[in-house]
Amino acid sequence: MSRIYLSSADKVEKYENHLVKVTMADGSTVEGLEPRRLFPVTNPDAYITLLDESGVEIMVIRALSDLDKASAAVIETSLSDYYLVPRILRIISKAEKYGTLRWTVETDRGICSFDIRNRNHDIHVMRSGFVRVRDANDNRYVIEDCNKLDKHSYALLIADT
Amino acid sequence: METMMKMLLKNKELPEGAVAIVKSLSESGDTALFAIVGDMSLGGRYGATTLLFTATKAVLYDESLSAPREYLYEDMEDVRAKRMYGNATLSAKMKGGKREIFFRYTYGVAPLCDAAALFISHLKEGKPFNEEYAIVSVAFEKALSVCPKCGRPLLHPGAECIMCRSKKKIVKQLSGYILPHTKTLIFCIFLSLFTTFMALVPPAITGFIVDVVFSDGESSVSLLNMIANAFKGEPKKVLTAMIILLLCTYVLQYGVGIIRSYLMRTVGNKTVAALRNDIYRKAQYLPMKFYDKTSTGSVINRISGDSSTLQQFMLRITQEAVVHLFQLVGIVVIMISMNPGLTLLSLLPIPFIVLASRFFSKKIRPLYRRIWRRWTKVSSVMADTIPCIKVVKSFTGEQRSTAVFEEKNKDWLDMELHLGKIVTAFPQIISFCVTCGSLIIWGVGGGKVIDGVGGYSAGLIVSFISYASMFYNPVTFFANLSDSFQGALASTEKILDILEAEPEIELPNSVTPDHLQGKIEFNHVSFSFDRTKKVLDDVTFTIEPGEVVGIVGTTGSGKSTLVNLLMRFYDGYSGEILVDGHNIKNFNLSGYRSQIGYVQQEPQMFSDTIFNNIAYSVPGSTVEDVMAAADTANAHGFICRQPDGYDTMLGERGVGVSGGEKQRLSIARAVLMRPSMLIFDEATAAVDSETEHLIQDAIDKLIEGKTTLMIAHRLSTLRRANRILVVDNGHIIENGTPEELMALKGKYYKLVQIQSMTADAERMRREERF
Ligand SMILES: Nc1ncnc2c1ncn2[C@@H]1O[C@H](COP(=O)(O)OP(=O)(O)O)[C@@H](O)[C@H]1O
Ligand SMILES: [Mg+2]
């Protein structure tokens, strides 16, 4: 069984909410597919799989650039709906009680506060400066490049890594 | 109104806008039953939202919307709570057949929204309102069973949150390790006071020697004057007397010092041993959830390293701190009595030292933590790769794993070097200040001696310099204390993480089952490891006593998770699991588990003899019991052929016997404890068919009349099963006798078809060959 990869000849349109409808180059259509990232952390824009209602992979997009602009935009909107990973722009404050950290941060989606239960496992700093954070409720956050944070935020972050 | 707000089920205080809606609802004669206070707008931005539920409709308050939105249940079809990634939604097919999202939220309130979606669906199905409302109430109760301050789930609703408890209690907990040694410690303090006092004597004598013996002056120390008067006119004799006096003080000071150090060392070692015991014991009782998230390397590190750091610190606090405090006071008193002016001068550098220490401590504390984290990473690389050395070698990963190790080790080294600069600079700077202090005394005091100012003599300066340098000793100690305090604090944090982690939950009045009939009921059990993905979703089934149940399903469908829940390895599921009509959470944990023979897919062996490995389930078993168990498990045969028989030592993780043999040992282990229920998790998946036959035979002997759960890929393993559960993606999709499921022509039927086809093909191949 070979995998179907979408190309620029195929069209993607919005279906319902974050679901999409694909029209293949030969005119056949599939409705109600859910785009999901195969590498949500390391490579969010490549290898996007399209699952049907029961979670079976129907086709795969190698890279968003394989699609025409309109289709790529539909996929991007859908993904940003499904994957809500706020980008932390600034760490406003940090409080601590016996190992549980409470961060108040400014993200691209507004200001929020959350708890980090175990800083050893829930804050990951990659060598590139990319940071992944997981809160007590299992919500994810990222810092795209911790070296570009303001001094105050950087100091708060780095004390816990 | 007041009472109504109180009656309203809610997970948090409602935002003002939502309170207004509750009011207007009640004015129009409707009642808000429960409210889910969310944190995200429909557009996915953070903001205060609330979804209110009445008996007929849901009302959304969203501060980013101009007006509340109403959703009538009668307009909704197929209400769903969908967990996505970092957010989740409630949606329904609205009038017109289009699916519309009406609430977006983060994972924090997901369990409530799951309950709410069921509430609406069930009401629409016409289920009784009271029952549905009760289910929702339970969900809210559970949501409230998290600490209101830090959001940590509590042991039971209303329990005190361990993370938010007061510092006093932590001190109390740690002092528990010191208290048994109170007598020795107090004795040690007395010894220390004695040595401290002895240490204060020599400067007085040297001052006296300089002033009285060398230059025939006067001394303010009356005792020494008396001795001098006894030898009036013979300075040599006075000198000899002084030297003997000095010798005596030194002998006493250092002799008592030896006793004290010995006692302290003993107490220290006992404390660290007790601490280690407790951490290790606690680690044994921590739930699997803890080990899923914490690498074993870091647990080991805490038991070995952090406990001794903490112990050292506790002794410093109880001993040296007390002694140094006395020394400090003693010296200040003596110095002031000798010369208040000079005393003030020599105190000059103190504020600087204190300030410097505060400055450094702020810098050092996070660094210690970072070092610890780096070191944990280094040790977890070791704990990860060394046991898997076979995989490393077979895929020629030696260089890669070395590189990973070197990288982590370098991270650690960098951090250590970075900290090294600060830590080594600090005591040097302090010593420098101390030396400057003595310069001041020489300069000012010496000048006055030359000028012949009354009350200043050479001897005074000499003993003052000695006292001053002794004075700085405790000061540096207290300044450095922050340093070791930081180290200890970092260690305490790690240790309390284990000591105070919630162990596997044991209800206070749990029942100990002495024999289980083996009726198993799952009622609407849902479970997820990390809240992102439900591994089991609304699983309901009943198994009658004595049934042999085959559990089949694709890999990753949740079969092992199912039995893990039954074993109570994980407690955080919703719904109920009953055995013999009792909720398994009410059973005494060890009593319950000892009724179940659990054979894992990966048999795990200790590095011990075969005998002890089998007898692990029932310590103190007789030889014949163990042999009988080995017989049943078809293991006796191969054990006989080992040169060392039952005394054969297995290496770490069972090196020395084959996979199938290990599996039979683990079955023998389960047999030995005469369980009332048996669980085999793919016990024969990894062995050849000859061994499978032996194992199968062992299992057949074993399962007579006992409720047995068998997870298997090969359906041939399940020929004894009189009930089959088919698990798919966390759901039980088929449940019945093998005949029923064959008639159903569903997933099980397909599996049988596929496997008999391959079996046929294999038979044909074999026939061809012979
Ligand atoms: N300790 C764990 N932490 C997180 N996820 C897990 C854990 N164990 C299993 N899972 C996930 O749960 C699902 C079911 O696993 P499991 O019950 O072991 O499946 P199987 O049916 O093969 O025995 C899998 O998707 C797996 O990835
Ligand atoms: Mg499994």
Side-chain angles (χ1 to χ4, degrees):
Chain A
M1 199 184 75
S2 72
R3 195 161 271 127
I4 303 170
Y5 287 103
L6 288 193
S7 72
S8 58
D10 309 309
K11 296 276 171 287
V12 184
E13 289 158 277
K14 186 175 155 63
Y15 185 62
E16 232 175 42
N17 299 317
H18 71 289
L19 303 182
V20 299
K21 169 181 165 185
V22 178
T23 309
M24 304 294 286
D26 63 6
S28 63
T29 62
V30 198
E31 285 180 345
L33 294 180
E34 183 174 79
R36 297 269 285 269
R37 290 176 173 144
L38 288 174
F39 302 93
V41 177
T42 52
N43 201 354
D45 289 335
Y47 292 96
I48 291 152
T49 177
L50 301 178
L51 306 179
D52 71 4
E53 179 119 351
S54 52
V56 175
E57 177 180 285
I58 304 297
M59 41 197 127
V60 176
I61 300 166
R62 268 207 192 88
L64 280 182
S65 53
D66 286 358
L67 303 178
D68 62 81
K69 276 222 172 81
S71 300
V74 170
I75 296 286
E76 261 178 354
T77 318
S78 162
L79 289 175
S80 72
D81 217 22
Y82 188 93
Y83 293 87
L84 196 144
V85 185
R87 280 199 301 274
I88 296 175
L89 309 171
R90 189 162 71 90
I91 303 176
I92 298 169
S93 70
K94 182 179 90 169
E96 181 179 3
K97 257 202 149 176
Y98 311 126
T100 302
L101 292 177
R102 167 159 273 258
W103 278 16
T104 303
V105 298
E106 183 184 328
T107 70
D108 57 343
R109 290 173 184 272
I111 289 175
C112 75
S113 296
F114 55 85
D115 293 335
I116 298 171
R117 206 165 283 175
N118 187 334
R119 71 189 87 194
N120 304 322
H121 304 288
D122 295 340
I123 306 174
H124 274 275
V125 181
M126 315 283 144
R127 300 207 131 211
S128 62
F130 185 82
V131 183
R132 275 186 283 152
V133 181
R134 184 171 70 171
D135 77 5
N137 287 318
D138 243 315
N139 297 306
R140 317 290 166 105
Y141 309 81
V142 296
I143 300 173
E144 301 220 302
D145 186 352
C146 65
N147 302 313
K148 290 194 183 137
L149 286 176
D150 59 289
K151 257 191 155 177
H152 174 71
S153 305
Y154 185 77
L156 290 184
L157 167 74
I158 218 66
D160 290 309
T161 58
Chain B
M1 188 60 215
E2 277 292 296
T3 53
M4 231 197 61
M5 285 303 288
K6 264 194 199 133
M7 288 279 295
L8 178 72
L9 294 172
K10 53 185 185 279
N11 53 330
K12 268 187 208 160
E13 281 312 310
L14 301 188
E16 269 168 41
V19 174
I21 297 174
V22 174
K23 273 188 193 143
S24 71
L25 276 174
S26 73
E27 274 157 21
S28 64
D30 209 345
T31 325
L33 299 168
F34 57 95
I36 300 176
V37 180
D39 47 9
M40 186 154 277
S41 68
L42 282 176
R45 288 190 65 85
Y46 291 112
T49 61
T50 306
L51 194 57
L52 292 155
F53 293 81
T54 75
T56 54
K57 65 184 175 194
V59 184
L60 172 72
Y61 163 76
D62 182 338
E63 62 178 3
S64 66
L65 295 176
S66 50
R69 289 188 186 168
E70 292 200 356
Y71 303 91
L72 296 177
Y73 299 159
E74 59 182 26
D75 294 342
M76 300 175 163
E77 286 296 333
D78 190 18
V79 181
R80 279 195 208 163
K82 181 174 170 70
R83 285 179 196 230
M84 301 197 285
Y85 191 101
N87 73 139
T89 57
L90 278 174
S91 67
K93 281 212 162 83
M94 299 293 177
K95 265 193 299 200
K98 254 197 107 156
R99 179 164 288 281
E100 190 181 326
I101 292 171
F102 61 94
F103 195 46
R104 188 183 289 271
Y105 47 93
T106 68
Y107 289 154
V109 290
L112 291 179
C113 292
D114 289 348
L118 276 181
F119 175 78
I120 301 177
S121 311
H122 286 173
L123 282 191
K124 287 184 67 74
E125 283 167 28
K127 295 204 173 150
F129 172 84
N130 286 343
E131 261 175 43
E132 294 310 316
Y133 182 71
I135 294 175
V136 172
S137 318
V138 171
F140 271 90
E141 218 168 87
K142 272 209 177 147
L144 280 181
S145 62
V146 295
C147 171
K149 277 190 220 147
C150 69
R152 221 165 159 265
L154 299 172
L155 272 172
H156 49 87
E160 187 196 15
C161 173
I162 281 171
M163 294 306 270
C164 295
R165 40 194 269 182
S166 70
K167 279 200 172 127
K168 246 190 223 159
K169 285 192 176 164
I170 289 176
V171 170
K172 210 169 145 194
Q173 166 141 21
L174 292 183
S175 62
Y177 294 95
I178 297 263
L179 288 180
H181 309 290
T182 317
K183 276 187 193 154
T184 325
L185 287 175
I186 290 179
F187 183 57
C188 281
I189 289 183
F190 276 115
L191 294 185
S192 314
L193 289 182
F194 182 76
T195 52
T196 310
F197 179 72
M198 283 298 139
L200 294 180
V201 175
I205 298 181
T206 46
F208 179 83
I209 293 175
V210 171
D211 277 355
V212 182
V213 182
F214 293 169
S215 54
D216 205 20
E218 276 297 307
S219 168
S220 53
V221 188
S222 51
L223 181 75
L224 295 180
N225 275 334
M226 264 161 59
I227 299 174
N229 288 334
F231 300 103
K232 199 71 194 162
E234 289 182 81
K236 277 258 164 75
K237 277 195 180 158
V238 180
L239 184 64
T240 318
M242 288 304 129
I243 288 172
I244 292 173
L245 202 56
L246 270 181
L247 183 67
C248 292
T249 19
Y250 288 143
V251 168
L252 281 175
Q253 185 185 344
Y254 292 105
V256 170
I258 291 172
I259 300 174
R260 180 183 158 267
S261 307
Y262 171 73
L263 287 177
M264 290 297 296
R265 199 186 161 89
T266 321
V267 170
N269 289 341
K270 282 182 183 163
T271 322
V272 74
L275 194 54
R276 266 183 208 151
N277 278 346
D278 280 5
I279 304 172
Y280 185 77
R281 186 183 309 120
K282 186 62 193 284
Q284 300 292 310
Y285 288 101
L286 287 178
M288 289 307 296
K289 203 170 70 187
F290 181 87
Y291 288 99
D292 284 350
K293 292 201 171 151
T294 314
S295 72
T296 43
S298 100
V299 176
I300 293 169
N301 212 346
R302 294 179 208 193
I303 299 173
S304 50
D306 287 314
S307 56
S308 47
T309 314
L310 186 57
Q311 166 260 335
Q312 280 163 14
F313 178 72
M314 289 197 288
L315 290 184
R316 292 196 93 172
I317 281 289
T318 55
Q319 289 291 310
E320 294 176 44
V322 176
V323 170
H324 282 295
L325 194 67
F326 277 106
Q327 202 175 5
L328 207 62
V329 174
I331 294 169
V332 169
V333 169
I334 293 179
M335 280 168 77
I336 288 180
S337 74
M338 285 169 80
N339 190 319
L342 261 189
T343 311
L344 276 181
L345 270 181
S346 42
L347 290 185
L348 265 181
I350 299 292
F352 183 77
I353 294 174
V354 171
L355 278 182
S357 107
R358 289 179 70 130
F359 172 76
F360 279 109
S361 89
K362 259 197 189 143
K363 286 212 139 187
I364 287 172
R365 178 177 178 186
L367 290 176
Y368 263 111
R369 286 224 196 105
R370 295 178 73 185
I371 287 201
W372 184 84
R373 276 191 286 274
R374 298 294 193 281
W375 176 244
T376 320
K377 289 205 173 117
V378 174
S379 25
S380 71
V381 172
M382 294 191 277
D384 228 34
T385 47
I386 303 285
C388 294
I389 193 73
K390 215 178 208 171
V391 181
V392 173
K393 282 181 181 301
S394 58
F395 294 99
T396 60
E398 294 95 334
Q399 270 181 10
R400 273 175 286 158
S401 68
T402 313
V404 172
F405 183 84
E406 279 170 2
E407 183 188 307
K408 302 283 181 223
N409 209 14
K410 182 171 184 309
D411 284 349
W412 168 81
L413 181 64
D414 288 348
M415 194 49 61
E416 195 67 86
L417 293 179
H418 181 39
L419 177 66
K421 275 182 219 152
I422 297 177
V423 166
T424 48
F426 184 49
Q428 299 300 327
I429 292 172
I430 301 278
S431 303
F432 175 73
C433 298
V434 172
T435 324
C436 292
S438 74
L439 294 183
I440 299 175
I441 300 176
W442 276 124
V444 179
K448 295 212 169 150
V449 174
I450 295 171
D451 293 348
V453 178
Y456 287 86
S457 68
L460 178 81
I461 304 296
V462 170
S463 40
F464 225 93
I465 295 279
S466 322
Y467 280 126
S469 63
M470 279 168 68
F471 174 75
Y472 288 118
N473 213 17
V475 170
T476 31
F477 168 82
F478 284 112
N480 276 329
L481 191 63
S482 72
D483 181 37
S484 72
F485 176 68
Q486 303 314 331
L489 210 61
S491 290
T492 310
E493 197 180 21
K494 311 294 145 3
I495 289 174
L496 288 183
D497 192 37
I498 290 190
L499 280 185
E500 310 226 306
E502 281 148 40
E504 291 177 296
I505 296 164
E506 190 89 84
L507 290 178
N509 37 17
S510 56
V511 272
T512 310
D514 48 331
H515 184 78
L516 294 176
Q517 298 298 317
K519 183 178 165 108
I520 302 171
E521 289 163 86
F522 273 60
N523 287 332
H524 303 286
V525 173
S526 298
F527 178 74
S528 83
F529 283 100
D530 51 8
R531 297 214 215 180
T532 49
K533 187 183 140 221
K534 274 194 187 170
V535 175
L536 292 180
D537 194 1
D538 200 18
V539 169
T540 301
F541 62 84
T542 305
I543 294 169
E544 296 302 329
E547 277 192 313
V548 177
V549 183
I551 303 177
V552 298
T554 45
T555 307
S557 54
K559 306 182 295 294
S560 299
T561 309
L562 198 79
V563 298
N564 278 342
L565 293 192
L566 187 60
M567 285 298 287
R568 282 191 61 187
F569 288 141
Y570 296 91
D571 263 343
Y573 55 85
S574 64
E576 274 184 327
I577 302 177
L578 309 178
V579 169
D580 288 1
H582 292 279
N583 190 324
I584 55 170
K585 288 183 179 171
N586 294 333
F587 282 131
N588 168 284
L589 201 57
S590 56
Y592 172 67
R593 283 192 187 142
S594 67
Q595 292 292 311
I596 305 177
Y598 174 51
V599 180
Q600 285 170 273
Q601 175 173 2
E602 286 284 317
Q604 292 178 337
M605 296 287 139
F606 300 99
S607 48
D608 203 338
T609 63
I610 287 186
F611 182 87
N612 288 339
N613 262 296
I614 297 178
Y616 190 80
S617 55
V618 186
S621 303
T622 65
V623 171
E624 305 211 344
D625 283 347
V626 170
M627 290 200 325
D631 273 335
T632 315
N634 284 334
H636 186 72
F638 86 82
I639 299 173
C640 289
R641 288 190 289 277
Q642 302 281 332
D644 282 336
Y646 279 89
D647 283 334
T648 306
M649 275 301 279
L650 300 183
E652 269 175 75
R653 287 157 294 110
V655 174
V657 287
S658 76
E661 288 167 344
K662 239 185 280 180
Q663 193 57 276
R664 279 179 276 167
L665 289 182
S666 78
I667 292 176
R669 194 190 273 164
V671 172
L672 184 64
M673 66 183 207
R674 298 176 201 283
S676 334
M677 273 162 41
L678 286 164
I679 297 175
F680 295 96
D681 190 349
E682 302 191 10
T684 59
V687 297
D688 56 282
S689 41
E690 170 75 18
T691 316
E692 189 199 349
H693 180 75
L694 284 173
I695 293 178
Q696 199 55 49
D697 182 57
I699 294 178
D700 287 351
K701 280 187 264 177
L702 198 59
I703 61 182
E704 207 49 62
K706 293 183 182 113
T707 305
T708 304
L709 301 185
M710 276 160 91
I711 299 177
H713 276 305
R714 275 179 236 167
L715 298 178
S716 58
T717 321
L718 299 179
R719 63 196 149 77
R720 290 279 304 268
N722 44 25
R723 180 198 287 277
I724 302 285
L725 296 178
V726 184
V727 186
D728 187 50
N729 222 339
H731 299 272
I732 302 281
I733 53 169
E734 287 168 32
N735 173 2
T737 64
E739 295 77 30
E740 281 170 2
L741 296 194
M742 285 305 281
L744 200 67
K745 291 213 177 348
K747 186 122 183 165
Y748 179 71
Y749 175 79
K750 265 192 228 153
L751 276 174
V752 172
Q753 294 287 308
I754 294 169
Q755 296 209 356
S756 60
M757 247 152 60
T758 44
D760 281 347
E762 205 160 287
R763 207 182 50 240
M764 270 153 63
R765 247 205 342 263
R766 234 179 293 153
E767 277 164 7
E768 246 168 48
R769 237 187 280 155
F770 294 112

